[in-house]
């Protein structure tokens, strides 16, 4: 990208068209606080996969050419465009917020060709080759920036000082801090300084890079291997508003069915009907509330999608699933994209006949291998393929399946990576793997969601491993193949927090760890953490130590049960948070910095998190630890277990024996609770219990049928609880559209 002097500019609506020596570009006001920077390096049209529909909203602005550049100013943001297509963002008072870097790039370590040769000889390879970048945007670091977001990246909460790559990657090695990429590509981050917060969303699906001050203390940069330069600068008065605006742009996570917030039991290795039966019995007999049992690849016939292994299910999976349903279990089944290459297999044959699979540049069906062996890859960028795939889910729904778990959709390939020039579609346009790779999972999730919505009518439940910005509209996510190691329990906190800050509030990790063998202690500390995570699923790999809660004796079972039951009690609170997430984009699980941005300890706090804005959990995430340091930010806090009050900001040493996860609730809170139940809907939800923490505060509580889309027509109740210092609560009905409101709302005696 070689832009020279700004020669001309013209205005078209809220977009300024810029003509530089060497190329054209645009600066557009998308909506209040959202500015789009665009250079049509790959053609004039926007090709966003993340943004659907027209998101433009009127914004009042002024445009003026001054000596130092062209100024586009609104009430909130001032943008200065200069020669060379420099773009600087200021606040309303003209304070610098996000400036292009003007010095010379000075990488910390320059790798000379000689040194590169040496390193390559030592086996480092690909990462040394200078990637072929279509563009780079280099921004100045003022010194105090903290960076959050970027999806599922490994490591700690604050991404400052690290570099990452966006290329959906299935790497079975234990995920450690030095990984550059994992399964998801969310090219969005938020920056926080003492004075400002802003976000950058690079809407580009090609392989891209985010160097967040790893290369230099003076600048950070992002760039991509192809496509156009298309990024959004998002202003805001804090992280919540920046995230709200990002969610406005890319879409919100829709309210899920209530049962999906319950406990899920899974394992790769429930081979037969008897295995699943044993798990269902185990859950009910051991009094572990549970709503979902997951079926991994072994339910299929030879790992062929849209089939069911009749032999292992005695010829009648439907009766078996309906038996499970009668006991409150919803079956969720895995569905991988790879379609087995096999003559006579209808899905494969139909896909070939209709041209529904990705091809080589020469037009042959492209074949790689996944679980079923040699397999073809559905071309999900083609809307007809999405529809076809979505409709095929009918086979599963007819058997009684209630949720679809999309896996291996980076896409994974056992015979080496797909060549960059493998042919896919982007709508009617021919596109390459290089462009589609990072949105393959996104398109698959969309296909699953739209299909379920059409076939079932209820709010679809989809889980995906790979995704792109905006996938939250269609699917929940999990963090893939973690291990049963303490480091991964520790990492789950910043990882889920950053997913939430990347617009993906409905997320979870494999509780207990997927690979490697768990231990009773690790499992207990994990359930104490994961009972707060939006997606609450115990899952483990074939060949590892079984980790259902009753595998380790009565004491472990008792403690495990306590935390699953806590989650079930708190379901109305979680449901309220999901309702909020759909309206504002606020995550369920939040890092402390989300609500306490000025608090320096909060900005890098990795072993505590908030659930909504009034509950703080400080789980133990180290082996052998029975006491831990807890940091409480400003305000009055109640110890959930003892009722003791503490005034923050303060650090306290908290006892945390193996059965205790330290939990704190802010004064003035009310936690809406459900009566005890073993699955969502077992107990008639006509009574609401209020767990009150005296102080001053207001909580809006939401109630609907828990599964249909009727709430969008106003069929819900919204209650407002006002808490007072003496512990009394006033109840008001703000919206009364649901035909089965509570018959009783009662304050719980503590
Ligand atoms: C992948 C998934 C894992 C699943 C396994 C077998 O590794 O990430 O969750 O159990 O495949 O289907």
């Amino acid at each position: 990208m070689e832009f020279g002097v700004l020669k001309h500019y013209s205005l078209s609506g809220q977009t300024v068209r810029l003509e530089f020596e060497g190329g054209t570009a645009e600066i557009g006001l998308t909506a209040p606080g959202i500015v789009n920077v665009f250079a049509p390096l790959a053609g004039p049209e926007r090709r966003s996969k993340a943004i659907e529909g027209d998101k433009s909203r009127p914004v009042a602005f002024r445009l003026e050419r001054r000596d130092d550049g062209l100024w586009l100013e609104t009430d909130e943001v001032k943008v200065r465009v200069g020669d060379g297509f420099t773009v600087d963002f200021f606040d309303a008072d003209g304070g610098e917020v996000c400036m292009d870097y003007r010095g010379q790039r000075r990488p910390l370590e320059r790798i000379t060709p000689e040194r590169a040769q040496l390193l390559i000889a030592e086996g480092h390879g690909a990462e040394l080759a200078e990637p072929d970048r279509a563009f780079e945007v280099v921004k100045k670091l003022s010194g105090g920036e903290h960076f959050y977001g970027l999806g599922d990246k490994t490591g700690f909460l604050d991404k400052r000082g690290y570099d990452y790559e966006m290329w959906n990657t299935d790497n079975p090695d234990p995920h450690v801090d030095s990984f550059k990429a994992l399964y998801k590509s969310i090219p969005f981050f938020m920056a926080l300084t003492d004075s400002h917060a802003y976000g950058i969303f690079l809407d580009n699906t090609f392989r891209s890079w985010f160097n967040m001050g790893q290369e230099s203390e003076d600048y950070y940069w992002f760039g991509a291997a192809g496509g156009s330069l298309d990024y959004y600068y998002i202003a805001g008065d804090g992280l919540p508003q920046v995230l709200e605006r990002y969610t406005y742009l890319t879409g919100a996570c829709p309210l899920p069915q209530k049962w999906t917030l319950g406990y899920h039991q899974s394992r790769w290795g429930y081979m037969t009907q008897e295995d699943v039966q044993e798990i269902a019995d185990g859950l009910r007999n051991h009094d572990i509330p549970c709503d979902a049992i997951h079926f991994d690849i072994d339910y299929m016939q030879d790992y062929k999608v849209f089939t069911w292994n009749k032999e292992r299910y005695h010829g009648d999976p439907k009766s078996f699933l309906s038996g499970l349903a009668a006991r409150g279990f919803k079956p969720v089944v895995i569905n991988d994209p790879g379609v087995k290459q096999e003559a006579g297999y209808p899905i494969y044959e139909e896909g070939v006949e209709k041209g529904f699979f990705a091809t080589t540049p020469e037009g042959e069906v492209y074949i790689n291998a996944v679980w079923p062996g040699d397999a073809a890859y559905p071309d999900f960028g083609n809307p007809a393929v999405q529809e076809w795939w979505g409709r095929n889910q009918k086979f599963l729904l007819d058997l009684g399946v209630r949720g679809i778990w999309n896996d291996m959709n980076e896409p994974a390939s056992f015979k080496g990576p797909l060549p960059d020039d493998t042919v896919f579609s982007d709508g009617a346009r021919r596109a390459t793997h290089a462009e589609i790779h990072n949105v393959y999972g996104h398109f698959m999730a969309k296909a699953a969601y739209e299909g379920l919505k059409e076939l079932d009518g209820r709010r679809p439940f989809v889980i995906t491993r790979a995704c792109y910005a905006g996938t939250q509209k269609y699917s929940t996510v999990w963090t893939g193949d973690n291990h049963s190691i303490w480091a991964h329990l520790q990492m789950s906190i910043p990882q889920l927090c950053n997913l939430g800050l990347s617009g993906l509030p409905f997320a979870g990790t494999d509780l207990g760890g997927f690979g490697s063998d768990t231990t009773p202690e690790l499992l207990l500390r994990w359930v104490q953490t994961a009972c707060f995570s939006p997606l609450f699923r115990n899952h483990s790999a074939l060949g590892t130590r079984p980790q259902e809660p009753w595998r380790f004796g009565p004491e472990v079972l008792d403690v495990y049960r306590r935390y699953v039951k806590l989650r079930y009690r708190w379901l109305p609170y979680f449901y309220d948070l999901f309702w909020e997430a759909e309206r504002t984009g606020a995550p369920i699980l939040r890092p402390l910095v989300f609500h306490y941005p000025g608090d320096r300890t909060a900005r890098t706090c990795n072993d505590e998190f908030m659930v909504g804005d009034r509950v703080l959990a400080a789980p133990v995430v180290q082996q052998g630890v029975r006491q831990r340091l807890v940091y409480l930010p400003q305000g009055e806090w109640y110890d959930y277990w003892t009722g003791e009050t503490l005034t923050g900001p303060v650090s306290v040493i908290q006892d945390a024996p193996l059965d205790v996860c330290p939990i704190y609730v802010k004064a003035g809170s009310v936690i809406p609770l459900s009566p005890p139940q073993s699955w969502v809907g077992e107990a008639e939800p006509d009574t609401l219990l209020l767990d009150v923490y005296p102080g001053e505060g207001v909580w809006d509580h939401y109630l609907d049928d828990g599964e249909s889309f009727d709430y969008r027509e106003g069929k819900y109740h919204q209650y407002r609880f006002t808490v007072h210092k003496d512990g009394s609560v006033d109840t008001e009905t703000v919206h009364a559209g649901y035909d089965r409101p509570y018959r009783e709302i009662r304050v719980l005696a503590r």
Side-chain angles (χ1 to χ4, degrees):
M1 192 173 59
E2 288 295 328
F3 287 107
V5 173
L6 176 60
K7 291 193 304 188
H8 299 289
Y9 65 91
S10 62
L11 196 58
S12 157
Q14 294 177 179
T15 299
V16 189
R17 298 195 197 288
L18 306 155
E19 216 180 291
F20 293 94
E21 260 169 21
T24 60
E26 293 176 10
I27 293 282
L29 298 170
T30 307
I34 307 179
V35 183
N36 179 233
V37 179
F38 181 68
L41 308 177
E45 75 276 21
R46 303 282 203 290
R47 291 179 185 151
S48 182
K49 314 294 183 284
I51 304 170
E52 291 182 15
D54 179 12
K55 291 293 178 184
S56 52
R57 294 284 177 276
V59 187
F61 67 93
R62 277 180 308 149
L63 183 68
E64 199 183 325
R65 183 140 202 183
R66 298 185 199 140
D67 289 347
D68 61 351
L70 182 67
W71 287 80
L72 178 65
E73 302 184 345
T74 76
D75 284 354
E76 270 185 82
V77 191
K78 295 186 170 163
V79 191
R80 180 178 63 192
V81 181
D83 293 340
F85 198 28
T86 54
V87 187
D88 303 308
F89 298 94
F90 302 80
D91 63 20
D93 303 323
E96 291 187 358
V97 185
C98 171
M99 312 289 289
D100 270 359
Y101 180 66
R102 285 169 170 79
Q104 260 209 310
R105 297 269 310 266
R106 281 180 283 111
L108 284 182
E109 187 199 10
R110 280 191 189 282
I111 299 179
T112 60
E114 297 74 37
R115 174 139 173 79
Q117 282 308 320
L118 200 74
L119 289 169
I120 288 165
E122 284 172 2
H124 301 268
E127 74 272 19
L128 295 175
E130 184 63 12
D132 191 11
R133 279 171 214 140
F135 62 82
E136 282 174 1
V137 175
V138 188
K139 295 281 181 190
K140 180 175 148 187
L141 280 170
S142 65
E145 287 88 353
H146 299 270
F147 292 119
Y148 306 106
L150 295 171
D152 63 348
K153 302 300 183 227
T154 54
F156 293 97
L157 183 68
D158 183 357
K159 298 309 185 195
R160 172 72 186 265
Y162 297 92
D163 66 316
Y164 299 101
E165 186 171 319
M166 296 296 168
W167 186 253
N168 292 356
T169 302
D170 170 30
N171 183 340
D173 295 337
H175 308 153
V176 293
D177 299 15
S178 55
F179 271 42
K180 303 294 179 207
L182 268 181
Y183 310 93
K184 302 169 181 64
S185 289
I186 315 294
F188 168 67
F189 65 86
M190 294 192 281
L192 181 76
T193 65
D194 283 339
S195 49
H196 295 102
Y198 66 88
I200 298 269
F201 169 41
L202 174 65
D203 195 4
N204 182 305
T205 66
F206 285 82
R207 192 186 286 268
S208 63
W209 296 270
F210 287 78
N211 190 301
M212 311 311 288
Q214 173 268 354
E215 190 174 291
S216 166
E217 290 293 322
D218 297 332
Y219 58 81
Y220 69 95
W221 64 262
F222 49 93
S228 290
L229 168 67
D230 189 1
Y231 78 87
Y232 293 83
Y233 169 82
I234 305 175
D237 57 13
L239 299 175
Q241 193 181 37
V242 175
L243 185 55
E244 182 168 8
R245 287 172 166 172
Y246 169 75
T247 311
Y248 163 76
L249 206 56
T250 60
C253 166
L255 189 68
Q257 292 190 53
K258 208 184 237 171
W259 66 264
T260 66
L261 307 185
Y263 176 70
H264 299 232
Q265 183 63 52
S266 181
R267 178 170 170 85
W268 177 16
Y270 300 149
M271 293 289 167
T272 61
Q273 175 169 322
E274 285 67 31
D275 287 352
V276 180
Q277 185 66 48
E278 187 201 321
I279 296 304
D281 293 345
L283 289 158
R284 293 291 175 247
N285 295 342
H286 293 110
D287 188 23
I288 300 286
C290 179
D291 266 273
I293 296 182
H294 289 235
F295 291 70
D296 208 319
I297 48 177
D298 299 297
Y299 80 87
M300 289 183 263
Q301 183 68 49
D302 304 326
Y303 309 132
K304 285 188 280 192
V305 288
F306 308 119
T307 67
W308 201 289
N309 189 315
K310 286 270 171 66
E311 212 178 299
R312 293 179 181 174
Y313 285 81
H314 308 298
D316 192 7
K318 188 170 181 168
S319 314
F320 177 62
L321 297 192
S322 80
L324 289 182
R327 300 170 79 194
F329 295 111
K330 292 85 181 165
V332 176
V333 298
I334 203 164
N335 207 20
D336 295 346
V339 172
K340 188 173 177 64
Q341 183 187 35
E342 184 184 90
Y345 169 36
I347 301 291
Y348 174 71
E349 293 204 331
E350 193 186 342
V352 171
E353 189 198 318
K354 297 200 164 136
F356 281 173
F357 294 128
T359 67
T360 64
E362 294 74 38
E364 299 290 316
V365 172
Y366 173 78
I367 301 290
N368 201 306
V370 220
W371 299 124
D374 284 353
Y377 291 75
D379 177 14
F380 287 120
N382 173 353
V385 176
Q386 286 182 21
E387 230 187 281
W388 173 66
W389 193 264
R391 248 186 296 115
N392 270 301
Q393 296 174 130
K394 184 168 189 310
F395 167 78
L396 299 166
L397 294 191
D398 286 349
L399 293 176
V401 166
R402 295 288 302 276
I404 299 285
W405 164 22
N406 286 343
D407 187 24
M408 310 298 277
N409 51 1
E410 293 70 31
S413 47
F414 295 167
K415 288 187 178 167
L418 277 66
D420 272 1
D421 60 359
T422 308
V423 181
F424 287 84
S425 304
D426 174 23
R429 191 175 64 90
R430 183 181 157 116
T432 62
H433 178 238
E435 181 177 359
I436 298 301
H437 179 86
N438 283 342
V439 272
Y440 193 74
H442 173 85
F443 283 144
M444 185 187 187
K446 183 173 180 183
Y449 179 92
E450 302 288 0
L452 291 181
K453 193 170 177 191
E454 179 76 30
L455 295 165
D456 182 63
R458 286 174 286 197
R459 306 169 203 163
F461 181 57
V462 181
I463 312 179
T464 186
R465 193 170 73 174
C467 67
Y468 180 68
T471 308
Q472 65 269 13
K473 297 187 285 286
Y474 310 115
S475 184
T476 159
V477 298
W478 98 105
T479 56
D481 298 349
N482 62 1
H483 279 250
S484 301
I485 56 176
W486 288 91
H488 279 180
L489 170 57
Q490 289 155 20
M491 190 175 76
S492 74
I493 296 173
Q495 200 178 25
L496 292 178
C497 283
N498 273 322
L499 279 166
L501 297 182
S502 307
L504 293 154
F506 201 170
T509 61
D510 285 345
L511 180 189
F514 175 74
S516 311
D517 298 320
T518 203
T519 67
E521 185 181 352
L522 177 63
L523 185 69
L524 285 186
R525 292 309 193 186
W526 211 312
V527 75
Q528 291 169 6
T529 310
C531 70
F532 297 105
S533 93
L535 182 65
F536 181 25
R537 182 182 76 157
N538 178 328
H539 180 55
S540 54
L542 196 65
T544 60
R545 187 175 184 184
Q547 62 186 34
E548 291 83 12
W550 55 87
R551 303 286 185 195
F552 307 91
E555 279 155 38
V556 171
L557 176 62
D558 275 357
V559 178
Y560 195 101
R561 181 190 298 116
R562 191 177 313 164
Y563 286 88
V564 180
K565 289 198 167 185
L566 178 97
R567 168 67 169 237
Y568 273 77
R569 290 289 265 177
W570 282 35
L571 278 180
Y573 180 65
F574 278 92
Y575 199 54
D576 286 349
L577 293 175
F578 272 91
W579 176 56
E580 185 187 352
E582 179 167 17
R583 287 175 304 133
T584 71
I588 315 304
L589 210 134
R590 307 172 185 173
L592 272 52
V593 65
F594 195 70
H595 291 296
Y596 302 93
D599 181 326
R600 286 172 189 276
T601 307
R603 289 176 184 174
T604 51
C605 181
N606 284 290
D607 60 355
E608 299 178 13
F609 56 86
M610 303 207 55
V611 187
D613 67 349
R614 54 200 63 199
V615 173
L616 184 150
V620 169
V621 291
Q622 283 179 57
Q623 193 212 29
V625 167
R626 300 291 182 266
Q627 272 192 329
R628 62 156 289 176
L629 193 67
V630 171
Y631 177 70
L632 296 172
Q634 199 221 327
E636 288 288 309
W637 299 88
Y638 287 86
D639 179 319
Y640 173 76
W641 301 108
T642 65
E644 185 195 346
T645 54
L646 295 148
T647 305
V650 68
S651 292
V652 292
I653 295 174
Q654 174 69 56
D655 282 340
L658 200 47
D659 60 342
V660 171
C661 170
I663 303 168
Y664 305 86
V665 184
K666 208 144 198 204
S669 300
V670 49
I671 309 286
L673 304 178
S674 33
Q677 52 186 347
S678 294
W679 65 88
V680 170
E682 188 201 20
E684 187 55 42
D686 59 355
T687 305
L688 185 75
L689 304 170
L690 302 181
D691 191 7
V692 177
Y693 297 80
E696 276 174 9
V698 178
W699 183 252
D700 275 13
H701 172 63
Y702 175 85
L703 178 72
D704 66 11
D705 65 20
E707 54 180 40
S708 79
F709 281 102
D710 288 355
Y711 73 100
R712 296 195 176 165
E713 267 82 62
K715 292 187 181 160
Y716 65 90
H717 256 55
Q718 182 183 346
Y719 300 90
R720 182 160 298 158
F721 303 128
T722 305
V723 183
H724 302 289
K725 280 196 174 136
D726 61 0
S728 62
V729 181
D730 297 331
T731 301
E732 188 191 335
T733 305
V734 179
H735 180 90
Y738 182 48
D739 57 9
R740 285 185 296 147
Y742 297 117
R743 272 190 284 179
E744 193 190 0
I745 297 177
R746 192 154 42 84
V747 172
L748 186 81
R750 274 200 135 247

